[in-house]
Amino acid sequence: TVSPEAVAAARDQLNQHLRQIVAWHFDPATGSPFWLDWASKNFDPRKEVQSVEDLLKFPHFQDEFLRDLQPEVWVPAAFKGRPFNIFETGGTTGMPKQRIGWDDYKTDSSAFSDKISVAHFPRGGAWLMMGPTGPRRLRLAIEHLANVRGSSCYFIDLDPRWVKKVLAAKKYQEAKDYMAHVVDQAATILKHRKVTGLFTTPKLLEAIAEKVNLWDAGIRGVFCGGTSMKPQEVRFIVEELLEGRIGFYPTYGNTLMGLAASVPLQPEDQFSGPYYAPQPRAILRVVNPGNTAETVSYGEFGRVELTTLTKEFFMPRFLERDEAIRRAPRPPYAWDGVGDVRPAVREGAQHPPDRRLGVELPDHAGGHGRQAVDAHLGGGAAGGEQPVPEGADVVAEGRDDA
């Protein structure tokens, strides 16, 4: 457990950081055009936002801001004239959300390095990433994380936007062929290069493990991200795919937050471990969907709300597409976490029952969620449709917002 004193100290540190970031973004000498204009039409947060509770004075940040506005409106005056990275999230259809940045991904990755074991990711051992690269922050973040640990990184790219379009058109064989193409490339790298660390999605991990004995190939640590993982999937990965010998690090995050770290699984977790935001640079709250000013009780599901607090990017109270269980602080983290993350229910939709957990599962966007779950549990497809054939949804499982 975490002591009340540690929780209070973390809250004090967060409030101090919040005041610094608010002062930065709303000072004409350092702030961005968007937030300075917003303050001129609403209120001056430098005076009215002194603690985390005061963030409720802001409305929810809208993702349309990142789709519709030119990137330059987010450039802090202090960074004016410096070329910026442009990272994208979403974009399967229409304009993607775009976040600009300079060094945030490096700062976040360097901090995350302290949370992984040298035994699982030995310094100097090469890494392999199987996942979306292109305009996504994740590609640079993973490479920087490897570099911080004295390692280089190989990349196998996949395009989830394309695969989701293929699945929407019910071109299942084309999706399966693309999955095989991605996995074959990874198997080739593992055969001919000395790789010790792997970053991929759960389904791609399962696919590569069917072709390659990961331990014999030299893999000692695995990051998994890009999608929600049910407890039974975590158990299968830890006990079957990784045989209890390879370190497993599930992650939760995206372009707008960075990476939330998991904690080592304990027997009482029943393979459902919590994730903790990189506070004070980001805050995760699990809120009541009917009244987002309220957090839900520990152990209850709610909507995930993200606030990002860096000098490069200020984003208050963004409602993620996810829902999760609110988890209590757990060493070494003295703040709330999230668990059992899953896509939020669309209005008018319902979760089908999860026969193992006694909870409900999401009907994922993109036509591959509920059907794949039903197939896994032995049930039929939703709505009388034919289920997506086994393997066709593997490369589309990840959210396109890494």
Side-chain angles (χ1 to χ4, degrees), residues 199-218:
F199 185 101
T200 190
T201 66
K203 290 287 183 63
L204 282 174
L205 176 62
E206 181 177 353
I208 188 65
E210 291 178 355
K211 293 181 67 74
V212 177
N213 183 299
L214 295 176
W215 178 267
D216 290 346

PDB file of all heavy atoms in Angstrom, residues 199-218:
ATOM      1  N   PHE A 199       8.758  -4.975 -29.104  1.00  0.00           N
ATOM      2  CA  PHE A 199       7.572  -4.164 -28.853  1.00  0.00           C
ATOM      3  C   PHE A 199       6.556  -4.482 -29.937  1.00  0.00           C
ATOM      4  O   PHE A 199       6.849  -4.354 -31.134  1.00  0.00           O
ATOM      5  CB  PHE A 199       7.893  -2.671 -28.884  1.00  0.00           C
ATOM      6  CG  PHE A 199       6.714  -1.803 -28.511  1.00  0.00           C
ATOM      7  CD1 PHE A 199       6.611  -1.267 -27.240  1.00  0.00           C
ATOM      8  CD2 PHE A 199       5.703  -1.543 -29.420  1.00  0.00           C
ATOM      9  CE1 PHE A 199       5.511  -0.475 -26.886  1.00  0.00           C
ATOM     10  CE2 PHE A 199       4.606  -0.765 -29.086  1.00  0.00           C
ATOM     11  CZ  PHE A 199       4.515  -0.234 -27.811  1.00  0.00           C
ATOM     12  N   THR A 200       5.336  -4.891 -29.543  1.00  0.00           N
ATOM     13  CA  THR A 200       4.320  -5.229 -30.526  1.00  0.00           C
ATOM     14  C   THR A 200       2.944  -5.249 -29.862  1.00  0.00           C
ATOM     15  O   THR A 200       2.804  -4.888 -28.690  1.00  0.00           O
ATOM     16  CB  THR A 200       4.640  -6.575 -31.194  1.00  0.00           C
ATOM     17  OG1 THR A 200       3.775  -6.769 -32.306  1.00  0.00           O
ATOM     18  CG2 THR A 200       4.515  -7.732 -30.217  1.00  0.00           C
ATOM     19  N   THR A 201       1.932  -5.665 -30.610  1.00  0.00           N
ATOM     20  CA  THR A 201       0.583  -5.806 -30.076  1.00  0.00           C
ATOM     21  C   THR A 201       0.363  -7.255 -29.649  1.00  0.00           C
ATOM     22  O   THR A 201       1.086  -8.158 -30.080  1.00  0.00           O
ATOM     23  CB  THR A 201      -0.461  -5.429 -31.134  1.00  0.00           C
ATOM     24  OG1 THR A 201      -0.420  -6.379 -32.204  1.00  0.00           O
ATOM     25  CG2 THR A 201      -0.209  -4.028 -31.690  1.00  0.00           C
ATOM     26  N   PRO A 202      -0.633  -7.514 -28.808  1.00  0.00           N
ATOM     27  CA  PRO A 202      -0.839  -8.888 -28.324  1.00  0.00           C
ATOM     28  C   PRO A 202      -1.059  -9.917 -29.436  1.00  0.00           C
ATOM     29  O   PRO A 202      -0.465 -11.004 -29.405  1.00  0.00           O
ATOM     30  CB  PRO A 202      -2.080  -8.765 -27.435  1.00  0.00           C
ATOM     31  CG  PRO A 202      -2.060  -7.351 -26.968  1.00  0.00           C
ATOM     32  CD  PRO A 202      -1.524  -6.559 -28.117  1.00  0.00           C
ATOM     33  N   LYS A 203      -1.893  -9.583 -30.419  1.00  0.00           N
ATOM     34  CA  LYS A 203      -2.170 -10.550 -31.482  1.00  0.00           C
ATOM     35  C   LYS A 203      -0.950 -10.790 -32.363  1.00  0.00           C
ATOM     36  O   LYS A 203      -0.697 -11.917 -32.810  1.00  0.00           O
ATOM     37  CB  LYS A 203      -3.355 -10.066 -32.320  1.00  0.00           C
ATOM     38  CG  LYS A 203      -4.696 -10.120 -31.590  1.00  0.00           C
ATOM     39  CD  LYS A 203      -5.184 -11.554 -31.432  1.00  0.00           C
ATOM     40  CE  LYS A 203      -6.569 -11.587 -30.765  1.00  0.00           C
ATOM     41  NZ  LYS A 203      -7.605 -10.937 -31.578  1.00  0.00           N
ATOM     42  N   LEU A 204      -0.186  -9.750 -32.651  1.00  0.00           N
ATOM     43  CA  LEU A 204       1.030  -9.945 -33.432  1.00  0.00           C
ATOM     44  C   LEU A 204       2.066 -10.741 -32.643  1.00  0.00           C
ATOM     45  O   LEU A 204       2.828 -11.526 -33.212  1.00  0.00           O
ATOM     46  CB  LEU A 204       1.605  -8.603 -33.874  1.00  0.00           C
ATOM     47  CG  LEU A 204       0.896  -7.937 -35.056  1.00  0.00           C
ATOM     48  CD1 LEU A 204       1.454  -6.538 -35.301  1.00  0.00           C
ATOM     49  CD2 LEU A 204       1.042  -8.780 -36.318  1.00  0.00           C
ATOM     50  N   LEU A 205       2.099 -10.541 -31.335  1.00  0.00           N
ATOM     51  CA  LEU A 205       2.980 -11.341 -30.496  1.00  0.00           C
ATOM     52  C   LEU A 205       2.626 -12.820 -30.608  1.00  0.00           C
ATOM     53  O   LEU A 205       3.496 -13.686 -30.750  1.00  0.00           O
ATOM     54  CB  LEU A 205       2.881 -10.884 -29.039  1.00  0.00           C
ATOM     55  CG  LEU A 205       3.682 -11.690 -28.018  1.00  0.00           C
ATOM     56  CD1 LEU A 205       5.175 -11.615 -28.312  1.00  0.00           C
ATOM     57  CD2 LEU A 205       3.386 -11.198 -26.602  1.00  0.00           C
ATOM     58  N   GLU A 206       1.344 -13.104 -30.555  1.00  0.00           N
ATOM     59  CA  GLU A 206       0.906 -14.500 -30.686  1.00  0.00           C
ATOM     60  C   GLU A 206       1.279 -15.058 -32.057  1.00  0.00           C
ATOM     61  O   GLU A 206       1.737 -16.203 -32.175  1.00  0.00           O
ATOM     62  CB  GLU A 206      -0.605 -14.589 -30.481  1.00  0.00           C
ATOM     63  CG  GLU A 206      -1.163 -15.993 -30.571  1.00  0.00           C
ATOM     64  CD  GLU A 206      -2.647 -16.054 -30.295  1.00  0.00           C
ATOM     65  OE1 GLU A 206      -3.235 -15.027 -29.894  1.00  0.00           O
ATOM     66  OE2 GLU A 206      -3.228 -17.148 -30.483  1.00  0.00           O
ATOM     67  N   ALA A 207       1.121 -14.236 -33.100  1.00  0.00           N
ATOM     68  CA  ALA A 207       1.427 -14.704 -34.451  1.00  0.00           C
ATOM     69  C   ALA A 207       2.908 -14.974 -34.642  1.00  0.00           C
ATOM     70  O   ALA A 207       3.292 -15.991 -35.243  1.00  0.00           O
ATOM     71  CB  ALA A 207       0.932 -13.674 -35.468  1.00  0.00           C
ATOM     72  N   ILE A 208       3.773 -14.095 -34.126  1.00  0.00           N
ATOM     73  CA  ILE A 208       5.208 -14.326 -34.291  1.00  0.00           C
ATOM     74  C   ILE A 208       5.671 -15.492 -33.436  1.00  0.00           C
ATOM     75  O   ILE A 208       6.565 -16.250 -33.823  1.00  0.00           O
ATOM     76  CB  ILE A 208       6.015 -13.038 -33.981  1.00  0.00           C
ATOM     77  CG1 ILE A 208       7.487 -13.221 -34.343  1.00  0.00           C
ATOM     78  CG2 ILE A 208       5.895 -12.636 -32.527  1.00  0.00           C
ATOM     79  CD1 ILE A 208       7.749 -13.411 -35.798  1.00  0.00           C
ATOM     80  N   ALA A 209       5.032 -15.689 -32.273  1.00  0.00           N
ATOM     81  CA  ALA A 209       5.419 -16.802 -31.398  1.00  0.00           C
ATOM     82  C   ALA A 209       5.065 -18.154 -32.013  1.00  0.00           C
ATOM     83  O   ALA A 209       5.653 -19.183 -31.643  1.00  0.00           O
ATOM     84  CB  ALA A 209       4.748 -16.655 -30.033  1.00  0.00           C
ATOM     85  N   GLU A 210       4.101 -18.170 -32.930  1.00  0.00           N
ATOM     86  CA  GLU A 210       3.777 -19.413 -33.620  1.00  0.00           C
ATOM     87  C   GLU A 210       4.850 -19.802 -34.627  1.00  0.00           C
ATOM     88  O   GLU A 210       4.973 -20.973 -34.991  1.00  0.00           O
ATOM     89  CB  GLU A 210       2.424 -19.279 -34.328  1.00  0.00           C
ATOM     90  CG  GLU A 210       1.238 -19.201 -33.378  1.00  0.00           C
ATOM     91  CD  GLU A 210      -0.077 -19.018 -34.114  1.00  0.00           C
ATOM     92  OE1 GLU A 210      -0.029 -18.855 -35.366  1.00  0.00           O
ATOM     93  OE2 GLU A 210      -1.138 -19.048 -33.459  1.00  0.00           O
ATOM     94  N   LYS A 211       5.636 -18.826 -35.085  1.00  0.00           N
ATOM     95  CA  LYS A 211       6.668 -19.085 -36.088  1.00  0.00           C
ATOM     96  C   LYS A 211       8.059 -19.189 -35.491  1.00  0.00           C
ATOM     97  O   LYS A 211       8.941 -19.836 -36.062  1.00  0.00           O
ATOM     98  CB  LYS A 211       6.671 -17.973 -37.144  1.00  0.00           C
ATOM     99  CG  LYS A 211       5.430 -17.917 -38.007  1.00  0.00           C
ATOM    100  CD  LYS A 211       5.522 -16.803 -39.027  1.00  0.00           C
ATOM    101  CE  LYS A 211       6.603 -17.072 -40.070  1.00  0.00           C
ATOM    102  NZ  LYS A 211       6.202 -18.114 -41.038  1.00  0.00           N
ATOM    103  N   VAL A 212       8.266 -18.517 -34.336  1.00  0.00           N
ATOM    104  CA  VAL A 212       9.603 -18.407 -33.760  1.00  0.00           C
ATOM    105  C   VAL A 212       9.544 -18.698 -32.272  1.00  0.00           C
ATOM    106  O   VAL A 212       8.647 -18.195 -31.588  1.00  0.00           O
ATOM    107  CB  VAL A 212      10.180 -16.990 -33.989  1.00  0.00           C
ATOM    108  CG1 VAL A 212      11.550 -16.850 -33.334  1.00  0.00           C
ATOM    109  CG2 VAL A 212      10.251 -16.654 -35.471  1.00  0.00           C
ATOM    110  N   ASN A 213      10.466 -19.494 -31.761  1.00  0.00           N
ATOM    111  CA  ASN A 213      10.620 -19.641 -30.317  1.00  0.00           C
ATOM    112  C   ASN A 213      11.332 -18.393 -29.814  1.00  0.00           C
ATOM    113  O   ASN A 213      12.523 -18.195 -30.076  1.00  0.00           O
ATOM    114  CB  ASN A 213      11.418 -20.894 -29.968  1.00  0.00           C
ATOM    115  CG  ASN A 213      11.530 -21.106 -28.463  1.00  0.00           C
ATOM    116  OD1 ASN A 213      12.074 -20.272 -27.736  1.00  0.00           O
ATOM    117  ND2 ASN A 213      11.001 -22.219 -27.984  1.00  0.00           N
ATOM    118  N   LEU A 214      10.593 -17.530 -29.134  1.00  0.00           N
ATOM    119  CA  LEU A 214      11.127 -16.221 -28.781  1.00  0.00           C
ATOM    120  C   LEU A 214      12.331 -16.312 -27.853  1.00  0.00           C
ATOM    121  O   LEU A 214      13.294 -15.554 -27.993  1.00  0.00           O
ATOM    122  CB  LEU A 214      10.021 -15.367 -28.149  1.00  0.00           C
ATOM    123  CG  LEU A 214       8.849 -15.018 -29.078  1.00  0.00           C
ATOM    124  CD1 LEU A 214       7.778 -14.250 -28.320  1.00  0.00           C
ATOM    125  CD2 LEU A 214       9.320 -14.209 -30.281  1.00  0.00           C
ATOM    126  N   TRP A 215      12.276 -17.224 -26.902  1.00  0.00           N
ATOM    127  CA  TRP A 215      13.410 -17.372 -25.985  1.00  0.00           C
ATOM    128  C   TRP A 215      14.666 -17.810 -26.737  1.00  0.00           C
ATOM    129  O   TRP A 215      15.738 -17.235 -26.570  1.00  0.00           O
ATOM    130  CB  TRP A 215      13.069 -18.365 -24.880  1.00  0.00           C
ATOM    131  CG  TRP A 215      14.208 -18.605 -23.924  1.00  0.00           C
ATOM    132  CD1 TRP A 215      15.159 -19.591 -24.005  1.00  0.00           C
ATOM    133  CD2 TRP A 215      14.555 -17.830 -22.771  1.00  0.00           C
ATOM    134  NE1 TRP A 215      16.059 -19.483 -22.971  1.00  0.00           N
ATOM    135  CE2 TRP A 215      15.709 -18.413 -22.192  1.00  0.00           C
ATOM    136  CE3 TRP A 215      13.981 -16.716 -22.155  1.00  0.00           C
ATOM    137  CZ2 TRP A 215      16.298 -17.913 -21.045  1.00  0.00           C
ATOM    138  CZ3 TRP A 215      14.582 -16.210 -21.000  1.00  0.00           C
ATOM    139  CH2 TRP A 215      15.721 -16.808 -20.459  1.00  0.00           C
ATOM    140  N   ASP A 216      14.521 -18.811 -27.580  1.00  0.00           N
ATOM    141  CA  ASP A 216      15.674 -19.299 -28.349  1.00  0.00           C
ATOM    142  C   ASP A 216      16.186 -18.241 -29.318  1.00  0.00           C
ATOM    143  O   ASP A 216      17.380 -18.218 -29.654  1.00  0.00           O
ATOM    144  CB  ASP A 216      15.298 -20.560 -29.127  1.00  0.00           C
ATOM    145  CG  ASP A 216      15.067 -21.761 -28.224  1.00  0.00           C
ATOM    146  OD1 ASP A 216      15.445 -21.692 -27.030  1.00  0.00           O
ATOM    147  OD2 ASP A 216      14.498 -22.759 -28.701  1.00  0.00           O
ATOM    148  N   ALA A 217      15.292 -17.356 -29.758  1.00  0.00           N
ATOM    149  CA  ALA A 217      15.707 -16.281 -30.664  1.00  0.00           C
ATOM    150  C   ALA A 217      16.444 -15.169 -29.933  1.00  0.00           C
ATOM    151  O   ALA A 217      16.976 -14.256 -30.573  1.00  0.00           O
ATOM    152  CB  ALA A 217      14.484 -15.705 -31.379  1.00  0.00           C
ATOM    153  N   GLY A 218      16.470 -15.215 -28.609  1.00  0.00           N
ATOM    154  CA  GLY A 218      17.210 -14.228 -27.831  1.00  0.00           C
ATOM    155  C   GLY A 218      16.366 -13.183 -27.145  1.00  0.00           C
ATOM    156  O   GLY A 218      16.893 -12.310 -26.443  1.00  0.00           O
TER     157      GLY A 218
END
